[in-house]
């Protein structure tokens, strides 16, 4: 309680404990103790110093992104802004040359793979352009596959960038709108999966769509034009089976 100089000794003991925690790299615990001491001695200054020390220790531990965020949170304390920039450069900057090289060489899947290794949730303005490089790479890779007659391989890339450029309008094409489960007037199921396989009234096969022409076959490399697809929306479609030589209308 208030016996003799016990209150002063208690504060000094807490201060000493906080100092020991800093030496043991227990920065959060030290900050809590220094903060609770208020204006005792230099406790308020030690709060900021402990946070700075934590950022330095984090950087030395090999986590530049976490260190950058800790330095950034310290505002203009000491050289925290410069340290934050240096840590961001270490984290994002090391990826700039490989990303630029892959992009310029048209290796868009490599671009995406490289950027996927980075945390892009809070990118500093200096490296914000990487988001655009990422989206454009997905877009170009998707278009290359689509133009090569592989719309379902392209779909993966389009789904990664909803709303980008012409992606949303491209996803309104028949080859994509037909995906899903449908029922004809007899109750038979027609299912089109996004891996290029389908079940047409119980017939399991692969398929592809080019405009209003549908190709089917036992495998992707054995497909022939067998159906015509028109009027496809999210709610209904007209499928014409041409395999018998006469078009058989199937309303889905």
């Amino acid at each position: 309680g208030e016996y003799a100089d016990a209150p002063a000794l208690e504060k000094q003991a807490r201060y000493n404990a906080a100092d020991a925690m800093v030496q043991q790299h227990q920065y959060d615990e030290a900050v809590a103790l220094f903060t609770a001491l208020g204006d005792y001695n230099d406790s308020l200054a030690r709060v900021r110093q402990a946070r700075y020390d934590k950022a330095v220790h984090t950087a030395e531990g090999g986590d530049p992104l976490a260190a950058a965020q800790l330095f950034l949170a310290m505002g203009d304390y000491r050289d925290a802004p410069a340290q934050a920039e240096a840590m961001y450069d270490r984290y994002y900057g090391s990826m700039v040359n490989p990303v630029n090289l892959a992009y310029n060489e048209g290796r868009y899947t490599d671009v995406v793979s490289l950027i996927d290794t980075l945390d892009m949730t809070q990118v500093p303005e200096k490296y914000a352009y990487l988001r655009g490089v990422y989206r454009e790479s997905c877009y170009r890779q998707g278009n290359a596959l689509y133009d090569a007659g592989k719309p379902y391989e392209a779909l993966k890339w389009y789904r990664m960038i909803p709303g980008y450029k012409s992606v949303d309008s491209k996803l309104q094409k028949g080859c994509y709108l037909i995906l899903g489960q449908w029922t004809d007037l007899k109750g038979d199921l027609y299912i089109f999966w996004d891996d290029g396989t389908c079940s047409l009234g119980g017939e399991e096969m692969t398929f592809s769509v080019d405009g209003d022409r549908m190709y089917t076959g036992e495998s992707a490399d054995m497909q022939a034009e067998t159906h015509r697809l028109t009027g496809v929306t999210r709610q209904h479609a007209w499928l014409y089976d041409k395999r018998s030589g006469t078009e058989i209308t199937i309303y889905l």
Side-chain angles (χ1 to χ4, degrees), residues 65 69 91-92 115-124 131:
L65 179 60
Q69 293 167 345
Y91 182 75
Y92 292 104
I115 297 178
D116 270 340
T117 65
L118 300 173
D119 185 330
M120 300 296 289
T121 53
Q122 294 180 322
V123 186
R131 288 196 179 107

Side-chain angles (χ1 to χ4, degrees), residues 134-157:
Y134 184 90
R135 290 192 291 266
E136 183 64 19
S137 295
C138 290
Y139 184 72
R140 294 191 178 191
Q141 181 63 22
N143 284 348
L145 290 167
Y146 186 91
D147 293 342
K150 301 177 180 179
Y152 302 114
E153 292 183 38
L155 184 57
K156 163 191 170 181
W157 301 95

Side-chain angles (χ1 to χ4, degrees), residues 17-239:
D19 185 63
M21 287 176 177
V22 170
Q23 305 310 315
Q24 297 165 12
H25 308 304
Q26 296 174 316
Y27 301 106
D28 292 338
E29 294 85 346
V31 165
L33 278 178
F34 281 131
T35 300
L37 284 166
D39 59 1
Y40 176 76
N41 202 339
D42 62 347
S43 293
L44 296 180
R46 292 297 302 273
V47 168
R48 302 189 78 185
Q49 182 62 47
R51 288 173 174 159
Y52 184 90
D53 291 345
K54 179 182 179 180
V56 171
H57 184 69
T58 302
E60 292 173 346
D63 193 344
L65 179 60
Q69 293 167 345
L70 289 170
F71 281 122
L72 193 65
M74 298 196 68
D76 60 359
Y77 180 73
R78 292 178 56 176
D79 63 345
Q83 290 279 17
E85 183 176 3
M87 291 299 103
Y88 278 132
D89 286 344
R90 185 189 301 180
Y91 182 75
Y92 292 104
S94 63
M95 199 62 71
V96 167
N97 287 338
V99 165
N100 288 343
L101 179 62
Y103 184 83
N104 292 334
E105 292 180 351
R107 294 184 285 112
Y108 302 118
T109 59
D110 289 344
V111 172
V112 173
S113 295
L114 287 168
I115 297 178
D116 270 340
T117 65
L118 300 173
D119 185 330
M120 300 296 289
T121 53
Q122 294 180 322
V123 186
E125 184 177 354
K126 182 177 180 180
Y127 297 103
Y129 78 95
L130 289 172
R131 288 196 179 107
V133 173
Y134 184 90
R135 290 192 291 266
E136 183 64 19
S137 295
C138 290
Y139 184 72
R140 294 191 178 191
Q141 181 63 22
N143 284 348
L145 290 167
Y146 186 91
D147 293 342
K150 301 177 180 179
Y152 302 114
E153 292 183 38
L155 184 57
K156 163 191 170 181
W157 301 95
Y158 291 145
R159 283 175 170 166
M160 293 166 68
I161 48 171
Y164 186 71
K165 291 189 173 179
S166 62
V167 167
D168 287 353
S169 61
K170 186 154 285 186
L171 293 178
Q172 296 303 307
K173 292 185 177 295
C175 60
Y176 296 128
L177 289 178
I178 196 62
L179 294 175
Q181 181 171 300
W182 303 79
T183 308
D184 68 9
L185 296 178
K186 297 184 295 183
D188 292 332
L189 288 178
Y190 285 70
I191 308 173
F192 300 89
W193 287 281
D194 60 14
D195 64 355
T197 61
C198 64
S199 177
L200 306 183
E203 293 182 81
E204 307 290 333
M205 59 187 75
T206 68
F207 80 103
S208 60
V209 176
D210 182 9
D212 66 350
R213 292 173 294 180
M214 179 178 288
Y215 301 82
T216 64
E218 292 184 4
S219 62
D221 58 355
M222 296 179 60
Q223 292 180 354
E225 184 177 351
T226 56
H227 296 75
R228 185 163 61 90
L229 177 67
T230 65
V232 59
T233 70
R234 293 186 181 279
Q235 289 76 37
H236 68 266
W238 294 94
L239 188 63

